[in-house]
Amino acid sequence: MSDLEDAVKQFLRETDTVYSEYEKGYVDADAALSRVESHVEELRESAEDA
């Protein structure tokens, strides 16, 4: 499996976790969006390095 594929899988796992925590009320919308944006940036960096 390539590094980019691993990065995509990690992104999806982490994003699912954020959505789940938001739905359960553990984080507010601003915090959830901030975390997702961070994960998007990490994925973007991985794609640029590939």
Side-chain angles (χ1 to χ4, degrees):
M1 193 171 304
S2 74
D3 289 340
L4 183 55
E5 288 173 317
D6 289 339
V8 169
K9 286 183 179 189
Q10 179 177 349
F11 168 80
L12 294 173
R13 278 192 308 270
E14 291 174 346
T15 302
D16 285 343
T17 298
V18 172
Y19 287 139
S20 176
E21 291 174 358
Y22 173 74
E23 288 175 349
K24 293 176 182 175
Y26 297 154
V27 295
D28 66 16
D30 289 334
L33 182 58
S34 177
R35 287 177 54 196
V36 169
E37 287 175 344
S38 174
H39 297 317
V40 168
E41 185 59 33
E42 291 171 7
L43 180 60
R44 191 174 281 128
E45 289 172 7
S46 294
E48 290 172 357
D49 291 342

